[in-house]
Amino acid sequence: DAGVIQSPRHEVTEMGQEVTLRCKPISGHDYLFWYRQTMMRGLELLIYFNNNVPIDDSGMPEDRFSAKMPNASFSTLKIQPSEPRDSAVYFCASSFFASSYEQYFGPGTRLTVT
Amino acid sequence: QKEVEQDPGPLSVPEGAIVSLNCTYSNSAFQYFMWYRQYSRKGPELLMYTYSSGNKEDGRFTAQVDKSSKYISLFIRDSQPSDSATYLCAMRPNDYKLSFGAGTTVTVRA
């Protein structure tokens, strides 16, 4: 299995621009998680889905952030408009209900907003 | 106060030494306790998992959970340079929301 796939790996954008991060979970996994990692705040859960349905989005920082999962093999995290404080590494992770304690993380997208 | 507290280090030890890492937490509802390892510029990967209190050993790694003290530990015996990484503790209640510690950066000197 290729593991969790994220794209792009690096993104540099200017303040005010729309940013879309993409994730392909491991085939057969029914949970998908979006995290953000910064030096100041560490690794934070933003939102998670079960069977493509958003279950808990309480970690989404504000309305500028939105996430979708149109099917079992694809999810997006969108920031519109982006701000410099959104600069971070964004991870996608997936897991399978039967082994729910293990979340498999993707390689991350390093976002820089100038 | 953060829900999960972890000393970020950094921690530097000579090859072959025992590495001792720990976290404290405040949420009594946490039932599942994990340690993740994260190499530079990579995503975290699960290293150890423990349910409720107790010890678990896997090769050179030992995880301990003391729920009465709200304290978890990870020990790495005979440390190797390849163990150099950031180690994050993580925990959750019966739902799927993981809470992570800040991570401790460990360097094992050859």
Side-chain angles (χ1 to χ4, degrees), chain A residues 94-109:
Chain A
S94 68
S95 69
F96 179 52
F97 173 76
S99 61
S100 58
Y101 53 84
E102 181 158 13
Q103 294 184 16
Y104 293 83
F105 282 76
T109 295

Side-chain angles (χ1 to χ4, degrees), chain A residues 31-47:
Chain A
Y31 282 86
L32 184 139
F33 306 82
W34 281 102
Y35 290 89
R36 177 172 68 176
Q37 187 174 40
T38 62
M39 289 294 292
M40 288 295 295
R41 300 175 67 89
L43 197 58
E44 302 175 286
L45 177 65
L46 300 178
I47 184 171

Side-chain angles (χ1 to χ4, degrees), chain A residues 20-95:
Chain A
T20 299
L21 311 181
R22 298 171 176 80
C23 174
K24 177 179 170 57
I26 294 173
S27 177
H29 281 192
D30 51 0
Y31 282 86
L32 184 139
F33 306 82
W34 281 102
Y35 290 89
R36 177 172 68 176
Q37 187 174 40
T38 62
M39 289 294 292
M40 288 295 295
R41 300 175 67 89
L43 197 58
E44 302 175 286
L45 177 65
L46 300 178
I47 184 171
Y48 77 94
F49 296 82
N50 175 220
N51 292 323
N52 313 337
V53 176
I55 303 300
D56 190 325
D57 65 355
S58 59
M60 296 285 263
E62 45 196 279
D63 291 344
R64 298 184 297 107
F65 286 69
S66 62
K68 294 182 179 179
M69 192 165 185
N71 57 62
S73 60
F74 184 67
S75 178
T76 60
L77 178 68
K78 186 175 294 187
I79 308 172
Q80 166 63 20
S82 58
E83 296 182 3
R85 60 193 169 117
D86 302 330
S87 297
V89 181
Y90 291 81
F91 289 102
C92 175
S94 68
S95 69

Side-chain angles (χ1 to χ4, degrees), chain A residues 9-10 31 33 35 37 40-45 48 56 58 91 95 97 100-108 110, chain B residues 2 32 34 36 38 40-47 49 56 86 88 92 94-103:
Chain A
R9 293 294 309 276
H10 302 273
Y31 282 86
F33 306 82
Y35 290 89
Q37 187 174 40
M40 288 295 295
R41 300 175 67 89
L43 197 58
E44 302 175 286
L45 177 65
Y48 77 94
D56 190 325
S58 59
F91 289 102
S95 69
F97 173 76
S100 58
Y101 53 84
E102 181 158 13
Q103 294 184 16
Y104 293 83
F105 282 76
R110 184 171 296 273
Chain B
K2 292 183 179 179
Y32 299 85
M34 286 139 270
Y36 280 80
Q38 185 175 22
S40 180
R41 304 268 176 171
K42 300 287 187 182
E45 57 178 343
L46 183 67
L47 197 59
Y49 151 78
K56 188 170 185 177
T86 296
L88 302 109
R92 66 174 178 85
N94 284 325
D95 64 17
Y96 297 92
K97 294 176 62 174
L98 277 178
S99 295
F100 283 85

